[in-house]
Amino acid sequence: VDGSQAQREWCEAEGLKRSTPDALSLHDDVLRLAVLPVTASRRVGHVVLVLNGQTIESHSGQGVDRRPVERLPWLEECAVFVISKGHD
């Protein structure tokens, strides 16, 4: 099992609240986890944290980085989970 798939299964087993790819662009102080699935054409998935419309992720050998979600069209394919609530 791919690591990203294992993380998705853990989120589901823990009953984390589901969200939507559209919510990833919100600036609402909610931390979300987006899991890109493995497919026949993509043998490795990816997992990113997203906060206020920006990813928090390790990619391309750069270490931890942030990118605006608008630049990442593959996020539309992700399963999205709520990790923490925003501030009231």
Side-chain angles (χ1 to χ4, degrees):
V1 173
D2 174 73
S4 60
Q5 180 61 32
Q7 290 174 352
R8 178 182 177 155
E9 290 171 3
W10 182 89
C11 290
E12 291 169 344
E14 291 296 310
L16 294 182
K17 181 180 175 184
R18 293 293 298 259
S19 189
T20 65
D22 288 340
L24 296 173
S25 62
L26 296 175
H27 291 252
D28 58 0
D29 293 326
V30 174
L31 181 64
R32 295 177 176 87
L33 180 78
V35 182
L36 182 67
V38 174
T39 64
S41 62
R42 184 178 46 247
R43 295 182 4 213
V44 177
H46 191 52
V47 176
V48 298
L49 293 168
V50 179
L51 179 65
N52 294 330
Q54 296 240 349
T55 67
I56 305 168
E57 62 179 315
S58 179
H59 66 92
S60 305
Q62 298 183 58
V64 178
D65 190 21
R66 298 198 73 180
R67 299 188 281 181
V69 297
E70 293 83 15
R71 292 188 192 164
L72 306 171
W74 51 263
L75 286 172
E76 289 297 321
E77 302 174 47
C78 289
V80 180
F81 299 91
V82 175
I83 301 298
S84 73
K85 296 180 180 180
H87 302 290
D88 291 332

